[in-house]
Amino acid sequence: MAAMLDIKDINVYYGAIHAIKGISLTVNEGEIVTLIGANGAGKSTTLRTVSGLLTPKEGEIKFLGETISGLPAQDIVRAGISQVPEGRRIFANMTVMENLELGAYIRTDKEGIEKDYQMVFERFPRLAERKEQQAGTLSGGEQQMLAMGRALMSRPKLLLLDEPSMGLAPLLIREIFNIIVDINKAGTTVLLVEQNANMALSIANRAYVLETGRITLSGDAKELAASEDVRKAYLGG
């Protein structure tokens, strides 16, 4: 089976800094794959490169068999990849509804868009209660839900999630991770970058461990969660 996302030997630089050093990874349709690693390991840089915000100097990224490395970000959204950025990046001065409308900007199917608003409100009932509220007045957890809802409005085949648990209380983190599992069960493939390695490994099918821009370990998420090295380095074991 061909991978949905296939990253081959990419090298990415920030100016003179060699941030990603020849990594290769795959995400198959229907999976949750997680990238774990310390701060500055290159996890977010990898997602930003997949979503077209950065261009690899060498290597290639393929999505559904087509090369996407080097394409503008909006074309990558059109191809079926949507990202929930680190720090949420919602539009604080706009209402919840306006933020969701922006998520559907590449679409013209009015009926489908209406259906998807309902889908988002069913998945995130708190957003339905606050749809006319300014997004900046929402709690951190609600803003994370809005960022996820907005990304789902483009009907992605692949959802990139960058640190969804950041700054959230433990109960909310559990809720957000349950929602990620539901989104995946409903048919969206997920590539997840997460500091909370315990939570990430508990919901993922497979995982890659990144250290200073290189993949040092990869495999079944449950097996990695049980590995002595991973436990010592990332799980506080």
Side-chain angles (χ1 to χ4, degrees):
M1 180 176 78
M4 177 182 258
L5 180 72
D6 192 11
I7 298 177
K8 274 215 168 70
D9 299 321
I10 60 166
N11 284 276
V12 182
Y13 292 79
Y14 283 114
I17 298 164
H18 194 177
I20 299 290
K21 300 163 185 163
I23 72 168
S24 297
L25 62 90
T26 58
V27 180
N28 298 313
E29 191 171 341
E31 284 190 309
I32 297 178
V33 173
T34 185
L35 303 184
I36 62 172
N39 256 337
K43 305 184 304 294
S44 294
T45 303
T46 303
L47 288 195
R48 289 168 65 80
T49 307
V50 173
S51 61
L53 300 171
L54 295 168
T55 303
K57 202 164 185 182
E58 290 112 18
E60 185 178 34
I61 302 173
K62 283 187 164 181
F63 179 64
L64 299 172
E66 302 288 324
T67 300
I68 58 166
S69 30
L71 286 181
Q74 64 269 27
D75 290 352
I76 290 175
V77 173
R78 282 195 181 90
I81 298 177
S82 194
Q83 179 166 357
V84 180
E86 184 182 355
R88 307 187 254 284
R89 311 268 173 90
I90 52 147
F91 295 96
N93 303 330
M94 292 182 168
T95 65
V96 165
M97 200 65 198
E98 287 165 341
N99 269 274
L100 293 177
E101 282 165 11
L102 277 174
Y105 79 98
I106 60 164
R107 295 174 58 185
T108 52
D109 55 320
K110 283 207 170 69
E111 274 176 35
I113 293 171
E114 280 305 318
K115 248 195 202 137
D116 285 353
Y117 288 140
Q118 294 320 308
M119 173 271 293
V120 168
F121 291 139
E122 276 163 31
R123 191 156 272 147
F124 305 103
R126 269 178 270 179
L127 296 183
E129 292 159 22
R130 293 164 172 68
K131 58 183 173 193
E132 299 310 326
Q133 207 168 305
Q134 276 202 333
T137 64
L138 301 176
S139 72
E142 289 161 355
Q143 289 187 16
Q144 183 61 51
M145 291 172 189
L146 178 57
M148 288 165 74
R150 183 180 63 189
L152 289 174
M153 285 303 300
S154 69
R155 277 210 186 158
K157 297 180 181 81
L158 175 65
L159 184 64
L160 309 177
L161 287 161
D162 196 355
E163 304 284 7
S165 79
M166 191 187 263
L168 300 184
L171 266 178
L172 263 176
I173 292 173
R174 194 161 295 281
E175 187 177 347
I176 291 291
F177 273 80
N178 288 339
I179 291 165
I180 295 168
V181 171
D182 287 347
I183 289 168
N184 177 251
K185 281 183 180 154
T188 306
T189 303
V190 175
L191 178 57
L192 166 69
V193 155
E194 182 52 65
Q195 283 278 209
N196 187 331
N198 269 315
M199 284 300 286
L201 291 171
S202 76
I203 67 164
N205 303 100
R206 290 186 305 110
Y208 292 87
V209 178
L210 269 180
E211 278 177 33
T212 57
R214 288 191 171 87
I215 289 169
T216 54
L217 279 171
S218 67
D220 177 85
K222 306 285 176 283
E223 284 169 18
L224 283 182
S227 129
E228 193 81 3
D229 295 347
V230 173
R231 289 240 298 276
K232 276 198 184 118
Y234 304 107
L235 308 178

